[in-house]
Amino acid sequence: MSSPVKLAIVYYSATGIISAIADEIAQAAEKAGAEVRLRKAAELAPQAAIDANPLWAANASATAGIPNATPEDLEWADAVIFGSPTRFGNIASQLKQFIDTLGGLWAQGKLADKVYSGFTSSATNHGGQESTLLALYNSIHHFGGIIVSPGYTDEAKLADGNPYGTSHVDGQGSNPVNDTTRAAARVQGERVVKIATRLKAGLAAA
């Protein structure tokens, strides 16, 4: 029997929306048989800025026990799902800073041939969700990674409406993660595990 897929979920969340989606993906992936590491990108913002926003401060407290991501988490993983809120149509600087620490692994070819996917949120409709995921995937091409998007492979994705990855409109914190987003997150987690399992089995047999 082959070993389970090792999945690293690496995300940045300020006010908790991305944290909630990450939790949903992690639970779905574990139910699908994966071994999951849930990791957050280290915070770069000053404490004063965090304390000034009640939602930001609450999320920082709620996720204090989640380890910060390290390059070793990606070396360990067979599959990686990145999550970030939209920042001007791109990923947050906290997640970008973590990705920028991966040059050593990249140079050794240790980021290649893994499955990758992504999820995001924005404050408004059409607020850069798709461009954020496409920007994230630019880095995956440089890794030599295998992008596994959810596409419209399940009816839940027709409701969610984003084939590039799970996304949510949070309305400046007024719209918590809902059933539609949670269903889409489960589809993404299950699909990544399924494809990574097949890939791992194929490589083992080669």
Side-chain angles (χ1 to χ4, degrees):
M1 179 179 292
S2 61
S3 60
V5 162
K6 298 174 181 176
L7 171 65
I9 301 172
V10 179
Y11 73 91
Y12 174 73
S13 183
T15 60
I17 297 295
I18 293 295
S19 295
I21 299 172
D23 287 341
E24 196 71 36
I25 291 174
Q27 292 175 37
E30 287 177 341
K31 289 179 180 178
E35 180 181 352
V36 177
R37 286 188 185 181
L38 186 62
R39 299 290 188 264
K40 63 185 180 183
E43 183 59 80
L44 303 177
Q47 191 62 44
I50 297 170
D51 292 341
N53 183 325
L55 291 175
W56 198 349
N59 182 61
S61 177
T63 61
I66 297 176
N68 285 343
T70 69
E72 191 275 332
D73 293 315
L74 264 70
E75 184 174 3
W76 166 86
D78 301 306
V80 181
I81 304 179
F82 288 114
S84 172
T86 291
R87 295 290 185 265
F88 303 112
N90 211 320
I91 62 175
S93 58
Q94 289 86 346
L95 183 61
K96 181 61 165 63
Q97 193 276 337
F98 170 72
I99 290 174
D100 286 346
T101 70
L102 301 176
L105 291 181
W106 168 80
Q108 298 173 68
K110 292 184 176 181
L111 299 178
D113 303 330
K114 299 176 186 285
V115 165
Y116 294 88
S117 200
F119 60 99
T120 190
S121 68
S122 65
T124 60
N125 287 315
H126 311 296
Q129 295 178 354
E130 292 181 357
S131 67
T132 295
L133 293 173
L134 291 171
L136 169 65
Y137 294 158
N138 285 337
S139 295
I140 309 310
H141 291 303
H142 284 258
F143 293 171
I146 300 163
I147 297 172
V148 174
S149 59
Y152 293 120
T153 57
D154 187 280
E155 288 186 2
K157 288 303 298 175
L158 295 174
D160 161 73
N162 189 342
Y164 301 94
T166 303
S167 62
H168 182 75
V169 178
D170 66 39
Q172 299 287 3
S174 64
N175 299 325
V177 175
N178 56 23
D179 290 343
T180 297
T181 301
R182 292 186 185 280
R186 290 193 294 270
V187 168
Q188 185 169 16
E190 291 164 0
R191 179 168 166 77
V192 166
V193 172
K194 179 177 72 174
I195 301 303
T197 298
R198 292 176 179 176
L199 178 63
K200 188 172 183 177
L203 290 173

